[in-house]
Amino acid sequence: MQERNKLTPISDLGEFGLIDRLTKDVSIKQESTLKGIGDDAAVLSHSNETLVSTDILAEGVHFDLAYTPLKHLGYKAAVVNISDIVAMNAKPTQLLVSVALSARTSVESMDALYEGFQEACKQYGVDLVGGDTTSSRSGLVISVTSIGEAPKDKIVYRSGAKPNDLVCVTGNLGAAYMGLQLLIREKKVFEINPKSQPDLSKYEYIVQRQLKPETPVNLRQKLEDMGVQPTSMIDISDGLSSEIIHICKNSKTGCVIYEDKLPIDQAVYDFGHEIQLDPSIAALNGGEDYEILFTVPLKDYDKIQRYPEISVVGHILEEEKGCSLVAKDGTNIELEAQGFNHTKTN
Ligand code: ADP
Ligand code: MG
């Protein structure tokens, strides 16, 4: 009998054995998938335009295995990528996952990672149709490619915002960033006292938003049902400030955002108070919320208002007016793109 906690080295299975094990339960749900895993290439047939996006996550740069369970990591890696398709107002349909495994990676940790990928695929109705497997001399590297489809006239770019359009955001902001601050704090506590058993139950919401984010995949359908065609759209990976600046640059416009309209959960206020971090800063300059930021024509205000999960946080201005925030005390502050920059060394 195998000892408990004994981890199996990848070499026991070999590359092909590992791929077979990880992908044996994969099922195909999308009509557009003609062939998934198992041949030299997947075969897809979309009746609409095809959208493709890819992301790389590297251990030590984008994730820390000290506090990231691998199952959550797989889930998050998939969601983060699906979010890019959602941010084009398209329907996510397929996913490819490539992994470079470090010498420390075990078969069990790959099982956990793939449980996460498969859970996300199930949750978002996406087919896992392929990938690649290789080894890494440093840490674990994960690359996810997502594919989606949308009719040409429904696709929304970053470049279509017009003066007077309303700036809208789904869900709430800042919680994932607060969750990260908490996990970093707990890691430090653990390094000093490895016997400490952190009780994170009180912080469940912010931890979950950091480790297991979701993206509003139903937004496209909701907007279609209410007869609203957004003029621009982007997903919020680096904080609202940075993302609205992307929209404004691409659309050649300015904007004004109102601090008192930012959607922020009570848990963000609570933890912000505890660590003396302004919740608005977390919402504006934090990251990894994976909510969607979009603009709609002013005439659609009444329709948008009917959805409590959508907040109107400002509006678009002419380019010369720049991008600014009206703070709670009425002062006008220039918005800055202080998004996470993974290429910057701290
Ligand atoms: P090739 O030599 O053509 O790259 P592979 O042996 O790497 O083929 O892959 C065989 C099949 O398994 C392909 O369908 C490929 O897309 C899939 N595959 C390989 N690695 C992964 C992975 N890490 N996750 C999901 N599918 C994978
Ligand atoms: Mg291969």
Side-chain angles (χ1 to χ4, degrees), residues 53-290:
S53 177
T54 197
D55 269 324
I56 287 190
L57 298 177
E59 183 179 346
V61 181
H62 303 95
F63 59 88
D64 185 336
L65 290 178
Y67 54 72
T68 314
L70 277 145
K71 185 175 168 186
H72 286 76
L73 181 61
Y75 192 89
K76 180 169 176 173
V79 171
V80 164
N81 220 263
I82 289 170
S83 160
D84 285 319
I85 300 294
V86 172
M88 299 297 289
N89 205 34
K91 175 182 162 194
T93 49
Q94 285 91 10
L95 206 70
L96 294 106
V97 172
S98 296
V99 285
L101 312 176
S102 77
R104 280 176 288 121
T105 316
S106 65
V107 170
E108 289 76 10
S109 58
M110 289 304 288
D111 284 345
L113 187 71
Y114 270 71
E115 258 180 65
F117 287 135
Q118 297 211 35
E119 191 183 321
C121 285
K122 205 168 145 207
Q123 176 71 20
Y124 288 88
V126 165
D127 293 342
L128 179 62
V129 297
D132 200 21
T133 311
T134 186
S135 50
S136 155
R137 298 243 170 138
S138 52
L140 174 65
V141 180
I142 302 168
S143 167
V144 180
T145 299
S146 58
I147 296 172
E149 65 173 309
K152 198 173 186 173
D153 59 345
K154 293 283 177 195
I155 298 173
V156 181
Y157 298 90
R158 296 177 178 184
S159 54
K162 298 272 177 310
N164 295 326
D165 282 357
L166 303 169
V167 177
C168 307
V169 58
T170 61
N172 64 72
L173 302 175
Y177 184 73
M178 288 296 187
L180 180 64
Q181 302 316 305
L182 171 69
L183 291 168
I184 291 171
R185 181 181 85 180
E186 294 306 320
K187 183 187 171 187
K188 282 192 191 134
V189 172
F190 182 80
E191 279 166 356
I192 296 164
N193 176 12
K195 287 204 180 106
S196 68
Q197 284 286 329
D199 176 13
L200 300 186
S201 56
K202 173 174 151 201
Y203 306 107
E204 197 181 337
Y205 183 67
I206 59 171
V207 171
Q208 179 214 326
R209 291 281 285 175
Q210 167 57 221
L211 294 182
K212 196 168 182 276
E214 305 289 353
T215 190
V217 70
N218 297 326
L219 178 66
R220 180 184 56 91
Q221 194 58 54
K222 256 181 225 159
L223 291 168
E224 192 172 321
D225 291 349
M226 58 174 134
V228 173
Q229 174 67 12
T231 50
S232 69
M233 202 177 253
I234 191 168
D235 63 333
I236 307 183
S237 51
D238 293 337
L240 179 66
S241 188
S242 160
E243 310 302 356
I244 190 66
I245 289 172
H246 280 310
I247 284 193
C248 289
K249 277 218 172 102
N250 281 276
S251 301
K252 300 193 169 45
T253 63
C255 73
V256 58
I257 302 293
Y258 296 91
E259 186 187 4
D260 64 358
K261 295 203 157 54
L262 296 176
I264 296 176
D265 192 88
Q266 186 57 42
V268 172
Y269 283 103
D270 293 347
F271 190 64
H273 184 72
E274 190 177 325
I275 63 166
Q276 298 289 296
L277 180 71
D278 185 344
S280 299
I281 302 274
L284 289 165
N285 299 335
E288 305 192 284
D289 291 308
Y290 299 106

Side-chain angles (χ1 to χ4, degrees), residues 17-28:
L18 180 71
I19 296 172
D20 282 349
R21 176 178 168 125
L22 297 176
T23 59
K24 67 177 183 327
D25 300 328
V26 169
S27 61
I28 298 301

